[in-house]
Amino acid sequence: MGQRAAPRGPVRGDVGAGGGAGDGPCAGGAAGRPDEPLIGFGFRDGLWSDEPHRDLLAWAGERAVALVSNDLHTAWLSRAALARLGRAGHATGVLREHDALDAVARLGQVGEEVIDAWVADSLRAAAARGVTHLLDFEYADNLGDWARRPGHGRLPVRVTGAVYPEYLERTIAAGLRTGDPLPGTDGLVTVGPVKVFVDGSLNTRTALCHEPYPGAGPDGHSRGILQTPPADLEKLMARAAAHGLHSAVHAIGDRANTIALDAFERVGARGSIEHAQLVDRADLPRFARPGLVLGVQPAHAPDDRDIADRHWRGRTDRAYAYADLLAAGATLRIGSDAPVAPLDPWRGIAAAVHRGAESGREPWHPEQAIGLDAALTAAAAGRDAVRIGDRADLVLTEEDPGDLAPHELAAMPVFGTLLGGRWTYRAD
């Protein structure tokens, strides 16, 4: 099964079994030298009555502390961390979007050998959950990083490495196109799309929406933020498309999805919209555009339901609207967005089918649930059967998914995983 994530393994606090992490390296812990940054992961302030502030981290003293939100779009820094980054005068210590990604990447720098060991652990854990392919959206030089990793041993998972705009011209100069195998990787690493952000996230209240959030919103942006203006987005996508590179456009709010759809139509590019968490019903038919797929993460729906009910009040009937998108002809690809959710396809499949019942709660907007067959196909990159001549990337389960209760499906026991007919995991 495929997953859209970034493989950092036990780098972050909540990814031990599932593998995976997201946009930027993160290291540190309660142990270690006092001069090492202490980096934690997973806070959610969307339902808090108070607000994060650097002074609330005064307990850290001279230790640089960075707390990363579960959606990766916010970094909450201590005074010492701000000083280390040359931002001692920052009023709150709360950074969002690009500033947050950059800060955590700089504070969490470790050596290549350490990173590669973490990645190897994560890939083994992913294979144990039936993952055969992942799309790496790490906020890094992905093609450069993956070019060296097969030297540590044959990869247990196929990898597609996304390209960020700062590496676009170098990728073009190298003559690389989306889908090309990366030299020296035995065909296991391929060139991916160019990743572009239109907006932020729901938890950070920076997802760009047509309607305002309750209250003023962070930094006075009551409808979220626009990270890449439409003209710049179209220019970047056109440049990539002219050289055979697809685009992966991050769009969470309904206004951001409208902008992304406009850009795909005007440029005529191929690629994906990543997330599509809140959609305008008028846009539904537009998601059926040929050459466009939607990278969705159903596990976010049960995780975010309480925050969505507050901040997208009155609009949640069209949030994580997978049934409506499928009915409109959209092509879904289920991933994890790890570490926002664990790098585990079964959790996302269960959430797509059961809409939160797998976690013991009442289903949330069950009208947006999709069938098990559709969810399995979306998690397998569109593959709906095993046929003669197919590449033998397979997962063998100990149970028939159709026979399981919601919580059992989410915890599906995996007997074995094959990559090109080679065992990458076998249960004891």
Side-chain angles (χ1 to χ4, degrees):
M1 293 186 178
Q3 287 284 280
R4 308 167 90 81
R8 288 290 191 198
V11 186
R12 299 182 189 266
D14 74 344
V15 298
D23 301 323
C26 186
R33 301 192 313 269
D35 61 329
E36 290 182 334
L38 174 63
I39 302 180
F41 169 75
F43 81 86
R44 297 169 178 259
D45 66 331
L47 300 176
W48 291 2
S49 58
D50 53 3
E51 296 184 5
H53 192 279
R54 64 184 187 181
D55 292 344
L56 295 177
L57 300 178
W59 52 266
E62 297 303 311
R63 185 86 179 262
V65 173
L67 302 181
V68 185
S69 62
N70 77 297
D71 61 8
L72 310 181
H73 287 251
T74 300
W76 174 10
L77 308 180
S78 67
R79 289 180 179 271
L82 291 166
R84 185 175 295 202
L85 296 171
R87 307 193 66 157
H90 195 276
T92 65
V94 179
L95 306 181
R96 293 185 171 87
E97 305 308 332
H98 181 271
D99 287 346
L101 298 178
D102 179 70
V104 177
R106 290 166 61 192
L107 287 171
Q109 289 181 352
V110 295
E112 289 181 357
E113 289 187 3
V114 174
I115 286 284
D116 290 349
W118 287 340
V119 168
D121 286 345
S122 294
L123 296 185
R124 286 190 291 269
R129 295 303 295 144
V131 174
T132 60
H133 174 261
L134 63 82
L135 174 51
D136 185 2
F137 282 127
E138 178 72 2
Y139 185 64
D141 175 14
N142 290 310
L143 299 186
D145 289 344
W146 284 105
R148 71 170 184 268
R149 285 176 181 148
H152 300 286
R154 198 172 187 193
L155 299 175
V157 174
R158 299 185 195 277
V159 177
T160 297
V163 177
Y164 279 84
E166 52 264 47
Y167 302 104
L168 174 58
E169 294 305 319
R170 189 181 73 186
T171 304
I172 291 172
L176 296 173
R177 304 162 69 91
T178 295
D180 285 352
L182 202 61
T185 64
D186 198 24
L188 294 175
V189 181
T190 54
V191 178
V194 178
K195 177 70 179 289
V196 192
F197 286 84
V198 172
D199 66 346
S201 73
L202 165 60
N203 283 276
T204 302
R205 282 84 71 204
T206 49
L208 186 63
C209 300
H210 289 296
E211 301 172 52
Y213 290 89
D219 302 329
H221 297 287
S222 62
R223 288 178 169 81
I225 66 167
L226 175 64
Q227 293 208 54
T228 307
D232 294 342
L233 176 65
E234 292 170 21
K235 181 178 179 181
L236 184 59
M237 290 173 64
R239 175 69 174 162
H243 293 275
L245 291 162
H246 297 179
S247 294
V249 181
H250 170 111
I252 287 182
D254 52 3
R255 175 60 182 153
N257 277 282
T258 298
I259 291 171
L261 288 165
D262 289 345
F264 274 105
E265 291 174 0
R266 290 170 182 162
V267 175
R270 299 176 64 86
S272 65
I273 293 176
E274 297 296 327
H275 308 303
Q277 289 183 358
L278 183 68
V279 298
D280 188 328
R281 291 199 179 280
D283 282 335
L284 282 170
R286 305 172 69 199
F287 285 101
R289 176 182 177 80
L292 178 67
V293 301
L294 302 187
V296 299
Q297 302 77 32
H300 291 351
D303 289 347
D304 290 347
R305 61 190 290 176
D306 295 329
I307 293 174
D309 283 340
R310 172 179 290 190
H311 295 291
W312 286 345
R313 186 184 311 125
R315 292 172 273 174
T316 53
D317 61 307
R318 49 189 176 88
Y320 312 89
Y322 307 131
D324 285 350
L325 286 163
L326 276 181
T331 299
L332 303 187
R333 295 289 181 262
I334 289 178
S336 65
D337 199 27
V340 180
L343 207 170
D344 186 336
W346 300 104
R347 195 167 179 267
I349 291 166
V353 176
H354 298 294
R355 298 291 292 193
E358 71 283 357
S359 59
R361 299 181 67 179
E362 287 295 314
W364 186 66
H365 288 289
E367 73 278 6
Q368 293 296 352
I370 62 176
L372 178 60
D373 287 347
L376 290 170
T377 299
R383 190 175 179 185
D384 61 0
V386 178
R387 299 178 176 88
I388 295 173
D390 284 349
R391 190 163 61 186
D393 291 358
L394 302 168
V395 55
L396 286 72
T397 63
E398 297 187 14
E399 305 286 348
D400 183 335
D403 294 339
L404 300 182
H407 70 280
E408 293 172 326
L409 180 61
M412 167 65 77
V414 172
F415 176 79
T417 308
L418 289 159
L419 189 74
R422 167 174 59 99
W423 290 105
T424 56
Y425 169 76
R426 295 175 73 174
D428 292 337

PDB file of all heavy atoms in Angstrom, residues 253-280:
ATOM      1  N   GLY A 253      -8.219  24.596   3.357  1.00  0.00           N
ATOM      2  CA  GLY A 253      -9.468  25.350   3.420  1.00  0.00           C
ATOM      3  C   GLY A 253     -10.186  25.382   2.083  1.00  0.00           C
ATOM      4  O   GLY A 253      -9.590  25.151   1.021  1.00  0.00           O
ATOM      5  N   ASP A 254     -11.487  25.697   2.110  1.00  0.00           N
ATOM      6  CA  ASP A 254     -12.253  25.686   0.854  1.00  0.00           C
ATOM      7  C   ASP A 254     -11.785  26.751  -0.125  1.00  0.00           C
ATOM      8  O   ASP A 254     -11.753  26.522  -1.331  1.00  0.00           O
ATOM      9  CB  ASP A 254     -13.759  25.791   1.129  1.00  0.00           C
ATOM     10  CG  ASP A 254     -14.153  26.948   2.029  1.00  0.00           C
ATOM     11  OD1 ASP A 254     -13.286  27.757   2.437  1.00  0.00           O
ATOM     12  OD2 ASP A 254     -15.363  27.037   2.366  1.00  0.00           O
ATOM     13  N   ARG A 255     -11.388  27.913   0.384  1.00  0.00           N
ATOM     14  CA  ARG A 255     -10.860  28.956  -0.511  1.00  0.00           C
ATOM     15  C   ARG A 255      -9.535  28.510  -1.137  1.00  0.00           C
ATOM     16  O   ARG A 255      -9.294  28.723  -2.328  1.00  0.00           O
ATOM     17  CB  ARG A 255     -10.665  30.263   0.262  1.00  0.00           C
ATOM     18  CG  ARG A 255     -10.005  31.381  -0.535  1.00  0.00           C
ATOM     19  CD  ARG A 255     -10.796  31.782  -1.761  1.00  0.00           C
ATOM     20  NE  ARG A 255     -10.137  32.826  -2.533  1.00  0.00           N
ATOM     21  CZ  ARG A 255     -10.293  33.009  -3.844  1.00  0.00           C
ATOM     22  NH1 ARG A 255     -11.099  32.195  -4.521  1.00  0.00           N
ATOM     23  NH2 ARG A 255      -9.667  33.969  -4.475  1.00  0.00           N
ATOM     24  N   ALA A 256      -8.688  27.851  -0.369  1.00  0.00           N
ATOM     25  CA  ALA A 256      -7.417  27.351  -0.901  1.00  0.00           C
ATOM     26  C   ALA A 256      -7.658  26.302  -1.980  1.00  0.00           C
ATOM     27  O   ALA A 256      -6.952  26.275  -2.999  1.00  0.00           O
ATOM     28  CB  ALA A 256      -6.570  26.764   0.224  1.00  0.00           C
ATOM     29  N   ASN A 257      -8.652  25.438  -1.782  1.00  0.00           N
ATOM     30  CA  ASN A 257      -8.951  24.431  -2.794  1.00  0.00           C
ATOM     31  C   ASN A 257      -9.482  25.055  -4.077  1.00  0.00           C
ATOM     32  O   ASN A 257      -9.163  24.596  -5.178  1.00  0.00           O
ATOM     33  CB  ASN A 257      -9.945  23.413  -2.227  1.00  0.00           C
ATOM     34  CG  ASN A 257      -9.258  22.350  -1.401  1.00  0.00           C
ATOM     35  OD1 ASN A 257      -8.674  21.423  -1.938  1.00  0.00           O
ATOM     36  ND2 ASN A 257      -9.309  22.504  -0.079  1.00  0.00           N
ATOM     37  N   THR A 258     -10.261  26.108  -3.952  1.00  0.00           N
ATOM     38  CA  THR A 258     -10.720  26.821  -5.145  1.00  0.00           C
ATOM     39  C   THR A 258      -9.534  27.391  -5.920  1.00  0.00           C
ATOM     40  O   THR A 258      -9.456  27.271  -7.151  1.00  0.00           O
ATOM     41  CB  THR A 258     -11.682  27.960  -4.756  1.00  0.00           C
ATOM     42  OG1 THR A 258     -12.843  27.405  -4.123  1.00  0.00           O
ATOM     43  CG2 THR A 258     -12.116  28.757  -5.972  1.00  0.00           C
ATOM     44  N   ILE A 259      -8.582  27.991  -5.208  1.00  0.00           N
ATOM     45  CA  ILE A 259      -7.390  28.552  -5.846  1.00  0.00           C
ATOM     46  C   ILE A 259      -6.576  27.453  -6.523  1.00  0.00           C
ATOM     47  O   ILE A 259      -6.093  27.620  -7.657  1.00  0.00           O
ATOM     48  CB  ILE A 259      -6.543  29.310  -4.804  1.00  0.00           C
ATOM     49  CG1 ILE A 259      -7.272  30.585  -4.364  1.00  0.00           C
ATOM     50  CG2 ILE A 259      -5.156  29.627  -5.349  1.00  0.00           C
ATOM     51  CD1 ILE A 259      -6.617  31.293  -3.190  1.00  0.00           C
ATOM     52  N   ALA A 260      -6.427  26.316  -5.837  1.00  0.00           N
ATOM     53  CA  ALA A 260      -5.668  25.210  -6.423  1.00  0.00           C
ATOM     54  C   ALA A 260      -6.335  24.679  -7.686  1.00  0.00           C
ATOM     55  O   ALA A 260      -5.669  24.429  -8.701  1.00  0.00           O
ATOM     56  CB  ALA A 260      -5.509  24.094  -5.394  1.00  0.00           C
ATOM     57  N   LEU A 261      -7.644  24.513  -7.644  1.00  0.00           N
ATOM     58  CA  LEU A 261      -8.365  24.043  -8.829  1.00  0.00           C
ATOM     59  C   LEU A 261      -8.236  25.032  -9.982  1.00  0.00           C
ATOM     60  O   LEU A 261      -8.040  24.640 -11.138  1.00  0.00           O
ATOM     61  CB  LEU A 261      -9.837  23.821  -8.477  1.00  0.00           C
ATOM     62  CG  LEU A 261     -10.131  22.607  -7.594  1.00  0.00           C
ATOM     63  CD1 LEU A 261     -11.541  22.707  -7.016  1.00  0.00           C
ATOM     64  CD2 LEU A 261      -9.970  21.308  -8.372  1.00  0.00           C
ATOM     65  N   ASP A 262      -8.342  26.320  -9.668  1.00  0.00           N
ATOM     66  CA  ASP A 262      -8.172  27.352 -10.709  1.00  0.00           C
ATOM     67  C   ASP A 262      -6.812  27.211 -11.377  1.00  0.00           C
ATOM     68  O   ASP A 262      -6.688  27.299 -12.609  1.00  0.00           O
ATOM     69  CB  ASP A 262      -8.294  28.747 -10.091  1.00  0.00           C
ATOM     70  CG  ASP A 262      -9.709  29.104  -9.672  1.00  0.00           C
ATOM     71  OD1 ASP A 262     -10.662  28.414 -10.089  1.00  0.00           O
ATOM     72  OD2 ASP A 262      -9.862  30.092  -8.914  1.00  0.00           O
ATOM     73  N   ALA A 263      -5.768  26.996 -10.554  1.00  0.00           N
ATOM     74  CA  ALA A 263      -4.408  26.907 -11.099  1.00  0.00           C
ATOM     75  C   ALA A 263      -4.244  25.681 -11.997  1.00  0.00           C
ATOM     76  O   ALA A 263      -3.652  25.773 -13.078  1.00  0.00           O
ATOM     77  CB  ALA A 263      -3.398  26.876  -9.949  1.00  0.00           C
ATOM     78  N   PHE A 264      -4.762  24.538 -11.572  1.00  0.00           N
ATOM     79  CA  PHE A 264      -4.649  23.342 -12.415  1.00  0.00           C
ATOM     80  C   PHE A 264      -5.369  23.547 -13.741  1.00  0.00           C
ATOM     81  O   PHE A 264      -4.887  23.113 -14.798  1.00  0.00           O
ATOM     82  CB  PHE A 264      -5.215  22.123 -11.676  1.00  0.00           C
ATOM     83  CG  PHE A 264      -4.213  21.447 -10.777  1.00  0.00           C
ATOM     84  CD1 PHE A 264      -4.281  21.611  -9.403  1.00  0.00           C
ATOM     85  CD2 PHE A 264      -3.209  20.660 -11.313  1.00  0.00           C
ATOM     86  CE1 PHE A 264      -3.348  20.987  -8.569  1.00  0.00           C
ATOM     87  CE2 PHE A 264      -2.277  20.030 -10.498  1.00  0.00           C
ATOM     88  CZ  PHE A 264      -2.346  20.203  -9.112  1.00  0.00           C
ATOM     89  N   GLU A 265      -6.513  24.207 -13.710  1.00  0.00           N
ATOM     90  CA  GLU A 265      -7.261  24.439 -14.939  1.00  0.00           C
ATOM     91  C   GLU A 265      -6.548  25.424 -15.856  1.00  0.00           C
ATOM     92  O   GLU A 265      -6.475  25.217 -17.079  1.00  0.00           O
ATOM     93  CB  GLU A 265      -8.660  24.938 -14.597  1.00  0.00           C
ATOM     94  CG  GLU A 265      -9.539  23.857 -13.944  1.00  0.00           C
ATOM     95  CD  GLU A 265     -10.876  24.387 -13.478  1.00  0.00           C
ATOM     96  OE1 GLU A 265     -11.148  25.602 -13.659  1.00  0.00           O
ATOM     97  OE2 GLU A 265     -11.673  23.601 -12.916  1.00  0.00           O
ATOM     98  N   ARG A 266      -6.021  26.486 -15.304  1.00  0.00           N
ATOM     99  CA  ARG A 266      -5.395  27.521 -16.137  1.00  0.00           C
ATOM    100  C   ARG A 266      -4.055  27.057 -16.706  1.00  0.00           C
ATOM    101  O   ARG A 266      -3.700  27.390 -17.845  1.00  0.00           O
ATOM    102  CB  ARG A 266      -5.214  28.792 -15.315  1.00  0.00           C
ATOM    103  CG  ARG A 266      -6.531  29.497 -15.001  1.00  0.00           C
ATOM    104  CD  ARG A 266      -6.366  30.611 -14.001  1.00  0.00           C
ATOM    105  NE  ARG A 266      -7.643  31.229 -13.672  1.00  0.00           N
ATOM    106  CZ  ARG A 266      -7.878  31.976 -12.603  1.00  0.00           C
ATOM    107  NH1 ARG A 266      -6.895  32.209 -11.735  1.00  0.00           N
ATOM    108  NH2 ARG A 266      -9.071  32.491 -12.381  1.00  0.00           N
ATOM    109  N   VAL A 267      -3.305  26.291 -15.922  1.00  0.00           N
ATOM    110  CA  VAL A 267      -1.991  25.840 -16.373  1.00  0.00           C
ATOM    111  C   VAL A 267      -2.103  24.565 -17.221  1.00  0.00           C
ATOM    112  O   VAL A 267      -1.285  24.324 -18.104  1.00  0.00           O
ATOM    113  CB  VAL A 267      -1.067  25.598 -15.156  1.00  0.00           C
ATOM    114  CG1 VAL A 267       0.270  25.015 -15.580  1.00  0.00           C
ATOM    115  CG2 VAL A 267      -0.856  26.904 -14.392  1.00  0.00           C
ATOM    116  N   GLY A 268      -3.132  23.750 -16.944  1.00  0.00           N
ATOM    117  CA  GLY A 268      -3.252  22.471 -17.619  1.00  0.00           C
ATOM    118  C   GLY A 268      -2.277  21.442 -17.090  1.00  0.00           C
ATOM    119  O   GLY A 268      -1.906  20.496 -17.801  1.00  0.00           O
ATOM    120  N   ALA A 269      -1.862  21.605 -15.840  1.00  0.00           N
ATOM    121  CA  ALA A 269      -0.853  20.727 -15.251  1.00  0.00           C
ATOM    122  C   ALA A 269      -1.481  19.451 -14.721  1.00  0.00           C
ATOM    123  O   ALA A 269      -2.682  19.356 -14.508  1.00  0.00           O
ATOM    124  CB  ALA A 269      -0.135  21.466 -14.116  1.00  0.00           C
ATOM    125  N   ARG A 270      -0.621  18.459 -14.491  1.00  0.00           N
ATOM    126  CA  ARG A 270      -1.002  17.224 -13.823  1.00  0.00           C
ATOM    127  C   ARG A 270      -0.441  17.246 -12.409  1.00  0.00           C
ATOM    128  O   ARG A 270       0.548  17.929 -12.138  1.00  0.00           O
ATOM    129  CB  ARG A 270      -0.459  16.009 -14.578  1.00  0.00           C
ATOM    130  CG  ARG A 270      -0.972  15.877 -15.996  1.00  0.00           C
ATOM    131  CD  ARG A 270      -0.321  14.707 -16.701  1.00  0.00           C
ATOM    132  NE  ARG A 270      -0.661  13.429 -16.083  1.00  0.00           N
ATOM    133  CZ  ARG A 270      -1.747  12.727 -16.383  1.00  0.00           C
ATOM    134  NH1 ARG A 270      -2.615  13.183 -17.273  1.00  0.00           N
ATOM    135  NH2 ARG A 270      -1.982  11.564 -15.800  1.00  0.00           N
ATOM    136  N   GLY A 271      -1.083  16.477 -11.530  1.00  0.00           N
ATOM    137  CA  GLY A 271      -0.565  16.408 -10.168  1.00  0.00           C
ATOM    138  C   GLY A 271      -1.646  16.131  -9.158  1.00  0.00           C
ATOM    139  O   GLY A 271      -2.614  15.410  -9.440  1.00  0.00           O
ATOM    140  N   SER A 272      -1.485  16.716  -7.980  1.00  0.00           N
ATOM    141  CA  SER A 272      -2.390  16.415  -6.877  1.00  0.00           C
ATOM    142  C   SER A 272      -2.706  17.652  -6.064  1.00  0.00           C
ATOM    143  O   SER A 272      -1.937  18.615  -6.029  1.00  0.00           O
ATOM    144  CB  SER A 272      -1.769  15.361  -5.953  1.00  0.00           C
ATOM    145  OG  SER A 272      -0.605  15.868  -5.323  1.00  0.00           O
ATOM    146  N   ILE A 273      -3.863  17.610  -5.428  1.00  0.00           N
ATOM    147  CA  ILE A 273      -4.179  18.530  -4.344  1.00  0.00           C
ATOM    148  C   ILE A 273      -4.055  17.718  -3.067  1.00  0.00           C
ATOM    149  O   ILE A 273      -4.681  16.669  -2.922  1.00  0.00           O
ATOM    150  CB  ILE A 273      -5.593  19.131  -4.484  1.00  0.00           C
ATOM    151  CG1 ILE A 273      -5.652  20.041  -5.714  1.00  0.00           C
ATOM    152  CG2 ILE A 273      -5.982  19.905  -3.224  1.00  0.00           C
ATOM    153  CD1 ILE A 273      -7.021  20.619  -5.995  1.00  0.00           C
ATOM    154  N   GLU A 274      -3.230  18.190  -2.170  1.00  0.00           N
ATOM    155  CA  GLU A 274      -2.976  17.472  -0.932  1.00  0.00           C
ATOM    156  C   GLU A 274      -3.859  18.002   0.194  1.00  0.00           C
ATOM    157  O   GLU A 274      -3.826  19.177   0.510  1.00  0.00           O
ATOM    158  CB  GLU A 274      -1.497  17.580  -0.546  1.00  0.00           C
ATOM    159  CG  GLU A 274      -0.551  16.949  -1.560  1.00  0.00           C
ATOM    160  CD  GLU A 274      -0.752  15.440  -1.683  1.00  0.00           C
ATOM    161  OE1 GLU A 274      -1.090  14.809  -0.659  1.00  0.00           O
ATOM    162  OE2 GLU A 274      -0.575  14.905  -2.796  1.00  0.00           O
ATOM    163  N   HIS A 275      -4.669  17.129   0.749  1.00  0.00           N
ATOM    164  CA  HIS A 275      -5.536  17.325   1.917  1.00  0.00           C
ATOM    165  C   HIS A 275      -6.999  17.564   1.550  1.00  0.00           C
ATOM    166  O   HIS A 275      -7.853  16.776   1.919  1.00  0.00           O
ATOM    167  CB  HIS A 275      -5.022  18.423   2.857  1.00  0.00           C
ATOM    168  CG  HIS A 275      -3.597  18.236   3.260  1.00  0.00           C
ATOM    169  ND1 HIS A 275      -3.143  17.092   3.887  1.00  0.00           N
ATOM    170  CD2 HIS A 275      -2.510  19.033   3.101  1.00  0.00           C
ATOM    171  CE1 HIS A 275      -1.840  17.194   4.105  1.00  0.00           C
ATOM    172  NE2 HIS A 275      -1.422  18.349   3.638  1.00  0.00           N
ATOM    173  N   ALA A 276      -7.314  18.681   0.870  1.00  0.00           N
ATOM    174  CA  ALA A 276      -8.709  18.958   0.475  1.00  0.00           C
ATOM    175  C   ALA A 276      -9.672  18.695   1.629  1.00  0.00           C
ATOM    176  O   ALA A 276     -10.678  18.020   1.476  1.00  0.00           O
ATOM    177  CB  ALA A 276      -9.089  18.114  -0.745  1.00  0.00           C
ATOM    178  N   GLN A 277      -9.380  19.276   2.787  1.00  0.00           N
ATOM    179  CA  GLN A 277     -10.164  18.952   3.981  1.00  0.00           C
ATOM    180  C   GLN A 277     -11.515  19.650   4.027  1.00  0.00           C
ATOM    181  O   GLN A 277     -12.473  19.101   4.586  1.00  0.00           O
ATOM    182  CB  GLN A 277      -9.354  19.283   5.234  1.00  0.00           C
ATOM    183  CG  GLN A 277      -8.195  18.321   5.458  1.00  0.00           C
ATOM    184  CD  GLN A 277      -7.439  18.615   6.734  1.00  0.00           C
ATOM    185  OE1 GLN A 277      -7.737  19.560   7.472  1.00  0.00           O
ATOM    186  NE2 GLN A 277      -6.419  17.816   7.008  1.00  0.00           N
ATOM    187  N   LEU A 278     -11.594  20.849   3.502  1.00  0.00           N
ATOM    188  CA  LEU A 278     -12.870  21.572   3.459  1.00  0.00           C
ATOM    189  C   LEU A 278     -13.072  22.024   2.021  1.00  0.00           C
ATOM    190  O   LEU A 278     -12.207  22.685   1.447  1.00  0.00           O
ATOM    191  CB  LEU A 278     -12.852  22.785   4.393  1.00  0.00           C
ATOM    192  CG  LEU A 278     -14.156  23.573   4.497  1.00  0.00           C
ATOM    193  CD1 LEU A 278     -15.234  22.751   5.199  1.00  0.00           C
ATOM    194  CD2 LEU A 278     -13.941  24.890   5.237  1.00  0.00           C
ATOM    195  N   VAL A 279     -14.212  21.656   1.435  1.00  0.00           N
ATOM    196  CA  VAL A 279     -14.438  21.966   0.024  1.00  0.00           C
ATOM    197  C   VAL A 279     -15.731  22.751  -0.144  1.00  0.00           C
ATOM    198  O   VAL A 279     -16.684  22.596   0.631  1.00  0.00           O
ATOM    199  CB  VAL A 279     -14.477  20.684  -0.837  1.00  0.00           C
ATOM    200  CG1 VAL A 279     -13.152  19.960  -0.764  1.00  0.00           C
ATOM    201  CG2 VAL A 279     -15.610  19.752  -0.402  1.00  0.00           C
ATOM    202  N   ASP A 280     -15.749  23.593  -1.162  1.00  0.00           N
ATOM    203  CA  ASP A 280     -16.945  24.308  -1.572  1.00  0.00           C
ATOM    204  C   ASP A 280     -17.758  23.369  -2.469  1.00  0.00           C
ATOM    205  O   ASP A 280     -17.227  22.793  -3.419  1.00  0.00           O
ATOM    206  CB  ASP A 280     -16.525  25.564  -2.347  1.00  0.00           C
ATOM    207  CG  ASP A 280     -17.688  26.493  -2.654  1.00  0.00           C
ATOM    208  OD1 ASP A 280     -18.818  25.992  -2.846  1.00  0.00           O
ATOM    209  OD2 ASP A 280     -17.468  27.708  -2.712  1.00  0.00           O
TER     210      ASP A 280
END
